[in-house]
């Protein structure tokens, strides 16, 4: 079985086209021009090329939809539909030759994410989800894990970033989780893949501060459609406004909220 709606097909097509450039550039990583956008925040030539291909493809198919994309910002058209794009999520990995990064595209309708796709071009893993129609990895249905005790779980996180104002808070949170999680806490460096892995049941939960909407947009629907929970650190749904995200299977959300309180 696979997702087959017009919007998903448009997203998959845009992603596959952009991924060709991404794979080629990853192979030539040492020749890439790198420009400094800010401390700890590099924009590669690939980010921009990939973003352009994705936006051109999406605009060809849906000229009226609005767009929010990491490098170019907001293109305001249609009030109800908006693409949310992170052309490379995991840029630091990409730049260091670590094969763990993704293209992430979400589609919002009336402020709710209704479609999402996260594509890892190196492992050729395509994570897709659509509201009401489930979550898939390479066209196979995915479900979140069934682990019910935090101590038995693998939990992902990320940050704090170099320039974060919330460094101390993040370290405190890490400390608290490290005394509850017996198996492992991991930082893999791509928030969209972190969330895709929660949806696929590879990882049981994920928490992080200070993420941007394009980091999480696609992941939100991947997890919800796989039967998981997406909340803020209080267990509520203000994760975009509060910039705190907690994503997990359906069993450990409560325990994770308690750790963060
Ligand atoms: C970053 C990744 C990383 C997260 C950072 C993000 P980028 O996105 O998702 O996992 O910890 O906060 O900025 O810059 O590679 O698109
Ligand atoms: Ca990102
Ligand atoms: Ca990015």
């Amino acid at each position: 079985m696979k997702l087959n709606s017009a919007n998903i097909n448009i997203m998959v097509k845009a992603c596959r086209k952009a991924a060709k450039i991404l794979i080629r550039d990853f192979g030539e990583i040492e020749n890439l021009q790198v420009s400094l956008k800010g401390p700890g925040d590099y924009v590669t030539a690939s980010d921009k090329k990939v973003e352009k291909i994705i936006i051109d493809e999406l605009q060809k198919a849906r000229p009226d939809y609005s767009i929010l994309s990491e490098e170019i910002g907001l293109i305001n058209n249609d009030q109800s539909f908006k693409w949310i794009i992170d052309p490379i999520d995991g840029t630091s990995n990409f730049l260091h030759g670590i094969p763990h990064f993704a293209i992430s595209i979400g589609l919002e309708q009336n402020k709710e994410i209704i479609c999402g796709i996260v594509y890892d071009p190196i492992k050729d893993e395509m994570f897709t989800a659509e509201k009401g129609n489930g979550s898939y990895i390479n066209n196979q249905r995915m479900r979140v894990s069934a682990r019910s005790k935090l101590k038995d779980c693998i939990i992902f996180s990320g940050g704090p970033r170099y320039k974060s104002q919330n460094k101390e808070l993040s370290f405190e949170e890490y400390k608290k989780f490290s005394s509850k999680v017996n198996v492992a806490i991991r930082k893999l460096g791509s928030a969209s893949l972190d969330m895709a892995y929660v949806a696929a049941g590879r990882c049981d939960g994920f928490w992080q501060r200070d993420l941007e909407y394009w980091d999480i947009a696609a992941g939100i629907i991947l997890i919800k459609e796989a039967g998981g929970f997406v909340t803020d650190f209080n267990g509520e749904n203000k994760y975009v406004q509060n910039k705190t995200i907690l994503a997990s299977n359906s069993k450990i959300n409560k325990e994770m909220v308690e750790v963060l309180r």
Side-chain angles (χ1 to χ4, degrees):
M1 216 175 116
K2 66 187 262 199
L3 289 177
N4 203 11
S5 74
N7 280 331
I8 288 283
N9 291 338
I10 291 164
M11 295 159 90
V12 169
K13 191 171 164 224
C15 238
R16 291 217 180 267
K17 189 166 178 191
K20 288 195 183 127
I21 301 297
L22 203 49
I23 291 166
R24 197 196 60 199
D25 283 359
F26 187 65
E28 294 173 4
I29 199 80
E30 60 275 13
N31 300 325
L32 276 178
Q33 295 256 333
V34 179
S35 65
L36 199 58
K37 194 166 83 171
D41 194 2
Y42 296 89
V43 183
T44 64
S46 296
D47 277 292
K48 291 180 181 151
K49 267 189 282 178
V50 168
E51 180 176 69
K52 184 168 184 329
I53 294 167
I54 295 169
I55 290 178
D56 286 351
E57 281 296 309
L58 296 177
Q59 278 183 328
K60 237 194 289 170
R62 295 282 186 261
D64 297 334
Y65 285 16
S66 294
I67 292 173
L68 173 67
S69 187
E70 181 174 12
E71 309 308 334
I72 61 146
L74 184 65
I75 301 172
N76 229 338
N77 286 324
D78 190 298
Q79 291 308 297
S80 46
F81 288 97
K82 193 195 280 172
W83 301 112
I84 324 284
I85 305 163
D86 192 340
I88 307 179
D89 184 53
T91 307
S92 304
N93 284 347
F94 177 81
L95 281 173
H96 285 247
I98 299 170
H100 190 79
F101 51 86
I103 296 170
S104 173
I105 309 174
L107 175 62
E108 200 187 63
Q109 180 180 22
N110 301 327
K111 310 258 179 271
E112 184 192 7
I113 300 289
I114 56 161
C115 291
I117 151 169
V118 173
Y119 182 52
D120 175 339
I122 302 300
K123 301 177 200 79
D124 192 21
E125 287 189 321
M126 178 80 74
F127 302 88
T128 52
E130 186 169 37
K131 191 181 170 192
N133 289 326
S135 221
Y136 294 79
I137 171 171
N138 291 344
N139 299 325
Q140 283 207 316
R141 194 77 189 242
M142 11 177 226
R143 299 287 305 167
V144 291
S145 71
R147 286 183 195 87
S148 58
K149 291 191 185 73
L150 199 46
K151 67 178 178 53
D152 302 325
C153 289
I154 286 197
I155 302 294
F156 286 173
S157 191
R161 311 188 79 177
Y162 173 76
K163 62 185 173 188
S164 170
Q165 314 254 314
N166 296 314
K167 266 193 184 167
E168 290 310 317
L169 281 173
S170 297
F171 293 145
E172 277 311 308
E173 287 149 10
Y174 193 97
K175 260 196 227 163
K176 287 195 257 180
F177 273 110
S178 72
S179 64
K180 297 278 180 190
V181 177
N182 278 4
V183 180
I185 301 175
R186 299 256 185 270
K187 283 173 65 177
L188 302 191
S190 166
S192 64
L193 282 176
D194 290 344
M195 293 179 77
Y197 280 27
V198 173
R202 292 174 178 173
C203 145
D204 309 288
F206 165 68
W207 94 93
Q208 190 168 344
R209 285 185 175 271
D210 296 335
L211 286 171
E212 301 295 340
Y213 195 28
W214 47 77
D215 298 314
I216 59 172
I220 292 167
I221 186 95
L222 289 176
I223 292 176
K224 286 186 178 169
E225 286 294 323
F229 284 15
V230 181
T231 71
D232 58 21
F233 286 2
N234 298 316
E236 287 162 16
N237 66 2
K238 293 192 184 138
Y239 39 86
V240 179
Q241 299 98 298
N242 293 348
K243 286 203 170 186
T244 63
I245 188 150
L246 197 173
S248 70
N249 72 22
S250 60
K251 310 264 173 71
I252 59 165
N253 174 272
K254 239 179 152 182
E255 207 183 339
M256 288 185 76
V257 170
E258 276 159 22
V259 172
L260 290 164
R261 274 217 176 104

